[in-house]
């Protein structure tokens, strides 16, 4: 199976209702036909509306940025996988470093979220990545390897076939400091080789591994040109339709 090239936007906690609608419409209007899958990772309030904005465009999909790990119940303020599915969500971003850092999410919890998202027929985008001090200590491959094992190695081959991985070095997120194409490639190859050992060559080769961390129009092409970099998870630059479209056209 060929793996997909993906340009995924992560809007984070940005855009009010009107701004989100306009941004989604601008992406739809400007998108050139291609095989690249474009994913809009919008705040919850936008999901249902964006799902109708993109319904006739086969290469744009919808992502949520989080999901609760239980099916339903007394969890005031939380959103369940079934709710997301009913709004037309295709992907759910899980394990983002901001969720790990500000909301204390650990891989054991993220693994449960991955399970429930899969159970409801959506695809997790599992984020992993090291902090700066870990890279400086030369332990980045080890750390990311532990994250990948803890969150994904309990899955079956079929389930893993539904997962997208995003390598996002924490020191590159929102900092304007991007991993070099070589650093990205090295880590992506490492992640793919771990997946290969556990799930076999077919699954590993079919898994899209995205790079995230200050992806911009002027660095996307070089990053996406690496053999194991299958696209990007884009934060800041996904808030401007023009920049995001340029990134989506950088494969
Ligand atoms: P950034 O964010 O592109 O603004 O660095 C990436 C992310 O956090 O997914």
């Amino acid at each position: 199976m060929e793996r997909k090239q993906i340009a995924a936007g992560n809007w984070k906690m940005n855009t009010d209702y009107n701004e989100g609608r306009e941004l989604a419409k601008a992406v739809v209007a400007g998108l050139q036909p291609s095989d690249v899958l474009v994913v809009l990772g919008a705040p919850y309030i936008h999901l249902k509306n964006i799902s109708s904005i993109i319904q006739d465009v086969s290469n744009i999909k919808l992502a949520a940025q989080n999901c609760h790990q239980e099916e339903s119940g007394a969890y005031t303020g939380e959103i369940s996988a079934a709710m997301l599915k009913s709004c037309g969500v295709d992907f759910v971003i899980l394990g983002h470093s901001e969720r790990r850092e500000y909301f204390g999410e650990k891989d054991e919890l993220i693994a449960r979220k991955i399970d429930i998202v899969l159970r409801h027929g959506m695809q997790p985008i599992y984020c992993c990545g090291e902090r700066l001090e870990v890279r400086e200590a030369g332990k980045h491959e080890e750390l990311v390897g532990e994250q990948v094992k803890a969150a994904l190695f309990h899955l079956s081959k079929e389930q893993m076939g539904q997962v997208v991985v995003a390598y996002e070095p924490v020191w590159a997120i929102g900092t304007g400091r991007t991993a070099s194409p070589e650093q990205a490639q090295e880590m992506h190859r490492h992640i793919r080789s771990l997946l290969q050992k556990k799930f076999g060559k077919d699954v590993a080769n079919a898994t899209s591994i995205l790079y995230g961390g200050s992806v911009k129009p002027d660095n996307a092409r070089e990053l996406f040109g690496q053999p194991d970099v299958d696209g990007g998870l884009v934060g800041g630059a996904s808030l401007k339709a023009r920049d995001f479209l340029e990134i989506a056209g950088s494969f």
Side-chain angles (χ1 to χ4, degrees):
M1 208 173 83
E2 272 282 288
R3 60 185 183 250
K4 286 201 182 70
Q5 294 180 311
I6 302 175
N10 176 9
W11 298 0
K12 308 192 179 181
M13 197 173 74
N14 296 295
T15 66
D16 69 14
Y17 190 73
N18 294 329
E19 291 164 344
R21 181 184 57 210
E22 293 313 310
L23 180 53
K25 281 186 180 169
V27 172
V28 169
L31 193 67
Q32 303 296 325
S34 84
D35 292 335
V36 174
L37 191 65
V38 169
V39 177
L40 303 180
Y44 293 137
I45 60 151
H46 297 304
L47 294 174
K48 182 65 189 153
N49 189 35
I50 294 181
S51 123
S52 49
I53 292 173
I54 65 174
Q55 69 181 352
D56 297 326
V57 195
S58 62
N59 60 330
I60 303 190
K61 302 285 179 199
L62 183 60
Q65 299 173 14
N66 185 28
C67 171
H68 196 268
Q69 66 276 14
E70 298 291 343
E71 287 288 348
S72 65
Y75 301 100
T76 302
E78 290 296 320
I79 298 286
S80 73
M83 293 174 194
L84 298 178
K85 183 70 182 172
S86 75
C87 288
V89 167
D90 308 290
F91 292 89
V92 184
I93 299 169
L94 294 172
H96 192 281
S97 69
E98 288 151 17
R99 300 286 326 164
R100 295 177 191 261
E101 179 167 355
Y102 305 132
F103 302 94
E105 295 196 6
K106 302 262 185 304
D107 277 310
E108 188 193 307
L109 174 74
I110 298 162
R112 292 177 61 200
K113 294 186 175 200
I114 288 173
D115 292 344
I116 200 157
V117 161
L118 288 168
R119 207 147 59 231
H120 285 269
M122 298 176 288
Q123 294 187 251
I125 300 177
Y126 172 65
C127 305
C128 53
E130 80 286 355
R131 306 173 64 83
L132 186 58
E133 59 269 23
V134 173
R135 178 161 284 267
E136 283 172 345
K139 302 243 189 259
H140 43 291
E141 290 202 350
E142 191 182 317
L143 187 276
V144 171
E146 280 164 15
Q147 291 175 329
V148 166
K149 284 177 195 163
L152 301 178
F153 272 26
H154 66 289
L155 299 176
S156 68
K157 280 187 188 188
E158 290 67 31
Q159 288 173 319
M160 186 60 216
Q162 297 299 309
V163 176
V164 172
V165 178
Y167 167 58
E168 300 205 304
V170 179
W171 46 271
I173 295 177
T175 58
R177 183 174 168 193
T178 317
S180 69
E182 295 73 28
Q183 285 172 324
Q185 168 55 25
E186 185 183 45
M187 184 61 87
H188 285 225
R189 192 183 48 215
H190 173 60
I191 293 170
R192 203 179 303 285
S193 76
L194 292 173
L195 296 179
Q196 181 171 333
K197 270 183 217 140
K198 173 69 186 172
F199 298 102
K201 207 172 170 115
D202 290 351
V203 172
N205 281 340
T207 302
S208 299
I209 306 179
L210 314 183
Y211 167 79
S214 299
V215 176
K216 304 274 184 262
D218 62 7
N219 60 28
R221 190 167 292 281
E222 220 186 335
L223 286 161
F224 300 170
Q226 302 301 311
D228 287 294
V229 178
D230 306 309
L233 182 55
V234 185
S238 71
L239 294 170
K240 290 197 192 112
R242 254 183 69 182
D243 286 359
F244 185 56
L245 288 164
E246 203 176 325
I247 290 168
S250 297
F251 288 86

